[in-house]
Amino acid sequence: MSTIAHSLRDYREPTKVQQAVFSFGLPSEEIPQDEIPSVLSISNPPSGGASEAVDQAEQEDQVYAGKLILSHSFLCFISLDRRSCKMTLPLYCIRRVERLNTSRSGVFALAIVVWHGMRVILQLNALRPQCESFCALLRDNLRGQLSQMKTLKAFVAGCYSEVLLQEAINDKTAGNSTGKDASEKQGEASTPGEKDQEDLIDALPPQPDYHAGLGARFKYPGDPRKLREKSKMKLWKDYLRVHGRNLTLVRYPQFLRLVQVGLPNRLRGEIWELTSGSMYMRFANQGVYESILKANEGKVSTSTEEIEKDLNRSLPEYAGYQTQEGIATLRRVLTAYSWKNPELGYCQAMNIVVAAILIYMSEEQCFWLLDMLCDRLVPGYYTQSMSGTILDQKVFEHLVQRSLPMIHDHFVETDIQLSVASLPWFLSLYINSMPMVFAFRIVDCFMAMGPKVLFQVGLAILKINGEELLSGTITDDGAFINMIKKYFATLGDSAHPNSSNPRHRQITNFQELLVVAFREFGVVTDDTIASERRRFRQEIVEEIELFAKRSAVRNLKTLGRFTKEQVGLIYDQMVEAIYRTRHAPSSLVERDGTAIDGHGKAPASPAVIAGGAQDYKEMRIDMPTFTYFLAEIATWARDEFTISNGFTERFERKIPENSDMSRRLFHFWDREQRGSLSLQDIVSGLDTIIFSRGEPDSAIEWFFKLHSRGKDALTKDEVLRLSESLLFMFRNENSDGHLGAVSQLITSSFGGSGSV
């Protein structure tokens, strides 16, 4: 835990542009180019049947006013209340745009036809010049997406929604609408009990052609009948037929209601990646996942070693992870992400979340969803410092204090640590705490509604169990955890078993939990969470950095002749040097002449390990960072000068360029030749220098070793370089005494022959 929380320290509030990009789940490189007030409706001519005609009549009444936003690759819509209607439409899905001839003068309306025939009607509510300008930009952006349109057909063929709707058409054509589809048989296949593992795998259904998770072969958690899979699938089939599917899905109010009821197993993975935005990332980066695996095949890093340790501890109760096929799938996803994001690499609890996602998603789908989770949905959760999780625990505790004051006071009086129970809830998205069938229902809502769901459900758990918490029997952490475990074990039981009303008896504890979470704690919004995070962020930064400092000092093999307090000061200077290097001007140049970073930041300071891989788990500094560090602790490593404007004076420091002395010192302390220095390297190096003061012979011997590179004597060229180092170190001295000493050294050295 020797890394520092630069991700939190460097955090900047998202701009309005970034907030818009995040809210629609767009890739980070997308930038809104124009926006215009508009009204949206969907027009799908019924293909036949009374029920479809009714659906069409209902659909025509669902018209929403809002704002239309155009970026380079997407056309987005959000209703005025920001809840009722939402659309993220990739431009490469559009096949035709028509200007409608309306009966009312002054009305500017467009009909957008997507690739599968759905028509989205957009009425632009602005002055005609603004409408014309918006349409011209839309036309130009559509032309820029022609190359992407060519890959669309193959991409959507792997989406289950396409298979589902095609099966519905085939069943209707064949008059076999009551038959069970093949994919449902796959998901509900039972496995023989008295076979070895190889025979068991052979007996399982084959992997379907569309993107599917391990559940398609090893069964999905839960009983399909109790989960009402058929009913849910029928509702979703009707919704997808009218409101679009996969990349073109438009979210109307019934979309969120269907999500809260619970997603069908075979459709769950697709809806997750759609609502999170990872589907757009997967489309834009087709083939990247496979190329990462291929490029890093056989390589080993600290992250891959940690992954191997946790593979067999990842949902071992699930049948898929009792086979080598499931373990290999999990290994590939975790390993690929550790290579894609080496600075984050791998963190414990990531294996639990990924193992759960892989039940419903293919490897590639899971890879991009994991990227979206770590980067956007729960940033800082799966890092060495767990900074995001710790911050959200602070936010959650404050929400408990504000919303449930009596329970909060009880925790304070009994010294119960709320985080002992709530931290695993957040870190595993409740997957490792609740039975999986219920945890996935929460994940459904989390993907569709955002991180606020984690807080709302947590508050609801405490409120429902509030009476028992305040009964006087829960007085320590152990009793609190046992109470929560018992509650989670009864989530499938009736919430009102003694009620005379049969409908009330059918309400389960889990259904009651969701009702309390979304109705009573609906006031906890995204803005609430963002505000609370801003409030506690700096406090968490200081706590994490203090803990990291103590851990780094405690883990040193030796302190030399330094005290712990002195080593702590050295650590602080390393942290400051790393921070300053990350924010150095883009004009700063490394010693070899290459720019540090095109974004004005130095690269992270990794340790190079065997095979050329990088280890980001230990705080280490590279050469540019070392020059900053050295300038803070040694006067010879910096130039100081005064700047005056006639009224005021200020002192400034500048780091000399091309310092051979600094480079020699860096490589001399880098005894393992890893290209970077650890805290231990610097402490040991400084110990030799600082505690040799007053001992001229020791200082001379050290300076000789610095320039001799392990040899017993110096050549004349090396003597000249040693002299240059001395002149560089004493360049700011007022007297000229050092010049005579250096001159005498050169004369006496060159007076002999060969080497010194």
Side-chain angles (χ1 to χ4, degrees):
M1 187 65 185
S2 58
T3 54
I4 53 179
H6 282 305
S7 59
L8 271 178
R9 184 191 274 197
D10 292 343
Y11 180 82
R12 298 293 182 271
E13 286 294 323
T15 63
K16 289 186 177 180
V17 170
Q18 290 173 324
Q19 289 176 356
V21 169
F22 293 169
S23 66
F24 290 107
L26 305 182
S28 299
E29 60 270 15
E30 289 292 324
I31 299 176
Q33 297 174 331
D34 197 3
E35 63 179 57
I36 192 170
S38 65
V39 176
L40 178 144
S41 62
I42 295 177
S43 174
N44 276 325
S47 57
S51 62
E52 293 184 354
V54 172
D55 290 341
Q56 176 65 16
E58 293 177 353
Q59 183 59 35
E60 289 175 350
D61 293 335
Q62 295 186 357
V63 178
Y64 292 95
K67 180 170 60 176
L68 195 63
I69 301 173
L70 177 64
S71 72
H72 180 264
S73 305
F74 291 86
L75 184 65
C76 306
F77 177 86
I78 185 74
S79 59
L80 293 177
D81 61 2
R82 306 190 68 82
R83 294 191 308 271
S84 299
C85 183
K86 190 175 184 181
M87 177 186 73
T88 303
L89 181 62
L91 297 184
Y92 44 78
C93 292
I94 297 176
R95 287 296 173 264
R96 189 169 66 254
V97 179
E98 303 172 351
R99 170 76 187 278
L100 297 181
N101 295 321
T102 59
S103 57
R104 292 183 296 168
S105 61
V107 175
F108 199 105
L110 301 176
I112 295 178
V113 182
V114 299
W115 66 271
H116 55 78
M118 181 181 74
R119 298 176 80 234
V120 179
I121 309 300
L122 296 170
Q123 178 181 316
L124 308 185
N125 295 335
L127 297 176
R128 188 179 188 86
Q130 185 179 354
C131 296
E132 295 285 0
S133 174
F134 186 90
C135 291
L137 184 58
L138 174 61
R139 181 184 62 246
D140 294 341
N141 289 357
L142 281 170
R143 289 173 178 170
Q145 298 298 315
L146 291 176
S147 60
Q148 298 284 5
M149 294 178 183
K150 297 177 182 178
T151 63
L152 178 63
K153 184 176 180 180
F155 182 86
V156 298
C159 297
Y160 179 72
S161 57
E162 293 300 319
V163 177
L164 177 66
L165 294 177
Q166 186 60 45
E167 286 174 351
I169 295 174
N170 294 341
D171 289 345
K172 187 171 294 186
T173 303
N176 189 29
S177 59
T178 58
K180 181 181 290 187
D181 58 71
S183 61
E184 187 171 343
K185 292 178 181 178
Q186 291 174 353
E188 299 175 11
S190 59
T191 56
E194 298 180 356
K195 292 187 176 184
D196 58 24
Q197 192 179 95
E198 292 184 3
D199 292 339
L200 182 64
I201 293 177
D202 291 339
L204 293 171
Q207 193 73 10
D209 295 333
Y210 57 87
H211 282 277
L214 295 173
R217 279 175 59 76
F218 298 98
K219 297 182 64 176
Y220 296 103
D223 184 349
R225 292 185 178 179
K226 291 183 178 179
L227 296 176
R228 300 180 179 179
E229 284 291 294
K230 288 185 179 180
S231 300
K232 291 178 183 178
M233 193 63 78
K234 183 179 183 303
L235 292 172
W236 275 100
K237 193 183 300 182
D238 293 339
Y239 184 88
L240 296 175
R241 180 169 44 80
V242 176
H243 300 82
R245 73 289 295 266
N246 46 72
L247 290 167
T248 64
L249 187 68
V250 181
R251 302 182 215 177
Y252 270 35
Q254 53 265 50
F255 173 84
L256 194 56
R257 291 197 291 269
L258 288 174
V259 170
Q260 291 175 340
V261 168
L263 294 171
N265 286 326
R266 289 176 299 284
L267 196 59
R268 177 167 271 145
E270 183 176 323
I271 299 300
W272 281 358
E273 68 168 346
L274 174 69
T275 52
S276 67
S278 64
M279 180 178 285
Y280 311 122
M281 291 291 294
R282 182 164 67 90
F283 183 89
N285 296 276
Q286 297 180 58
V288 170
Y289 171 70
E290 291 80 5
S291 64
I292 291 175
L293 287 175
K294 186 175 181 180
N296 296 282
E297 186 176 2
K299 293 183 180 179
V300 178
S301 68
T302 304
S303 293
T304 60
E305 293 173 355
E306 293 179 358
I307 289 170
E308 289 298 325
K309 296 176 184 177
D310 288 342
L311 286 176
N312 292 315
R313 294 181 287 192
S314 307
L315 301 184
E317 67 275 16
Y318 181 66
Y321 297 116
Q322 297 170 10
T323 67
Q324 288 304 312
E325 178 184 348
I327 294 295
T329 301
L330 179 60
R331 177 189 291 112
R332 285 192 294 270
V333 174
L334 291 173
T335 301
Y337 185 75
S338 73
W339 291 119
K340 180 184 183 295
N341 189 350
E343 189 168 2
L344 189 153
Y346 169 77
C347 178
Q348 285 189 340
M350 191 184 287
N351 61 312
I352 300 297
V353 174
V354 172
I357 294 173
L358 280 171
I359 297 176
Y360 299 97
M361 282 183 156
S362 67
E363 291 181 33
E364 187 180 14
Q365 286 178 309
C366 180
F367 174 80
W368 290 111
L369 180 59
L370 176 61
D371 184 60
M372 191 64 71
L373 274 172
C374 296
D375 183 58
R376 191 175 297 181
L377 295 178
V378 283
Y381 270 44
Y382 308 111
T383 62
Q384 285 295 104
S385 64
M386 293 172 58
S387 55
T389 318
I390 296 173
L391 175 60
D392 279 356
Q393 288 306 298
K394 198 77 173 180
V395 172
F396 183 59
E397 289 175 6
H398 185 257
L399 291 176
V400 172
Q401 181 181 5
R402 193 173 68 182
S403 305
L404 305 169
M406 294 180 65
I407 293 178
H408 176 267
D409 292 343
H410 176 71
F411 286 153
V412 173
E413 292 171 3
T414 56
D415 197 27
I416 293 177
Q417 299 297 315
L418 175 60
S419 60
V420 299
S422 60
L423 190 143
W425 299 347
F426 283 64
L427 196 58
S428 68
L429 308 182
Y430 292 92
I431 292 168
N432 219 25
S433 301
M434 295 182 180
M436 283 196 289
V437 289
F438 302 118
F440 288 131
R441 292 276 302 277
I442 293 177
V443 176
D444 293 343
C445 299
F446 165 77
M447 295 294 181
M449 302 164 63
K452 66 180 181 183
V453 171
L454 303 179
F455 297 89
Q456 292 170 334
V457 172
L459 291 170
I461 291 171
L462 296 179
K463 180 176 177 60
I464 291 172
N465 292 277
E467 185 175 345
E468 185 175 355
L469 274 170
L470 301 175
S471 64
T473 59
I474 310 300
T475 57
D476 55 41
D477 293 343
F480 175 50
I481 293 174
N482 288 333
M483 182 204 72
I484 296 298
K485 285 183 177 179
K486 290 179 181 178
Y487 171 69
F488 286 159
T490 63
L491 286 177
D493 298 344
S494 173
H496 309 285
N498 300 322
S499 174
S500 58
N501 190 326
R503 289 191 175 183
H504 290 176
R505 290 197 300 271
Q506 291 178 355
I507 298 174
T508 65
N509 286 325
F510 182 76
Q511 290 172 329
E512 182 185 51
L513 174 64
L514 291 187
V515 170
V516 173
F518 298 139
R519 287 188 180 177
E520 298 193 26
F521 297 105
V523 293
V524 179
T525 63
D526 293 327
D527 292 338
T528 305
I529 303 303
S531 175
E532 293 298 317
R533 284 173 174 171
R534 283 194 297 270
R535 177 179 179 180
F536 294 109
R537 180 166 281 110
Q538 185 57 39
E539 179 182 339
I540 295 301
V541 170
E542 294 172 358
E543 289 180 3
I544 291 176
E545 291 190 342
L546 179 59
F547 178 75
K549 176 180 176 179
R550 290 174 177 173
S551 299
V553 174
R554 184 173 59 248
N555 292 334
L556 289 177
K557 295 179 181 178
T558 175
L559 301 181
R561 285 163 282 186
F562 289 111
T563 64
K564 286 187 177 181
E565 290 73 18
Q566 290 171 330
V567 173
L569 294 175
I570 296 173
Y571 177 91
D572 291 339
Q573 291 298 337
M574 283 185 66
V575 170
E576 186 63 26
I578 293 174
Y579 186 75
R580 289 185 61 189
T581 308
R582 287 167 67 97
H583 296 274
S586 57
S587 59
L588 187 63
V589 175
E590 281 189 335
R591 299 297 179 259
D592 60 0
T594 58
I596 289 181
D597 189 291
H599 300 286
K601 296 181 181 179
S605 305
V608 180
I609 62 175
Q614 294 180 342
D615 180 13
Y616 290 85
K617 304 300 182 183
E618 182 183 19
M619 188 180 74
R620 303 180 70 89
I621 60 176
D622 56 9
M623 182 62 203
T625 310
F626 180 69
T627 59
Y628 274 106
F629 170 79
L630 206 57
E632 290 297 321
I633 65 171
T635 56
W636 60 263
R638 63 177 182 259
D639 290 327
E640 297 179 342
F641 52 94
T642 303
I643 296 179
S644 174
N645 60 4
F647 297 97
T648 59
E649 292 183 351
R650 72 175 188 273
F651 292 94
E652 288 198 0
R653 293 178 177 179
K654 183 179 180 181
I655 299 176
E657 296 183 4
N658 301 318
S659 170
D660 181 69
M661 179 63 184
S662 300
R663 189 185 303 110
R664 283 182 178 276
L665 193 59
F666 178 84
H667 292 297
F668 186 63
W669 286 354
D670 183 18
R671 300 185 183 278
E672 298 179 2
Q673 297 184 350
R674 299 176 67 176
S676 59
L677 299 178
S678 66
L679 177 62
Q680 183 67 72
D681 294 332
I682 292 177
V683 168
S684 300
L686 289 175
D687 178 78
T688 305
I689 298 175
I690 293 177
F691 292 100
S692 65
R693 289 180 178 178
E695 301 177 9
D697 292 341
S698 298
I700 293 172
E701 180 183 359
W702 176 85
F703 208 71
F704 174 84
K705 290 180 179 179
L706 181 65
H707 290 77
S708 67
R709 298 182 180 179
K711 297 182 294 184
D712 295 331
L714 298 177
T715 64
K716 291 183 178 180
D717 288 340
E718 289 171 337
V719 170
L720 286 175
R721 283 192 285 271
L722 184 148
S723 303
E724 290 172 355
S725 296
L726 289 172
L727 291 173
F728 176 77
M729 293 178 67
F730 291 102
R731 69 189 183 283
N732 295 323
E733 293 293 325
N734 295 324
S735 64
D736 296 334
H738 65 282
L739 295 176
V742 173
S743 177
Q744 184 178 357
L745 172 65
I746 296 174
T747 302
S748 60
S749 300
F750 282 27
S753 59
S755 58
V756 180

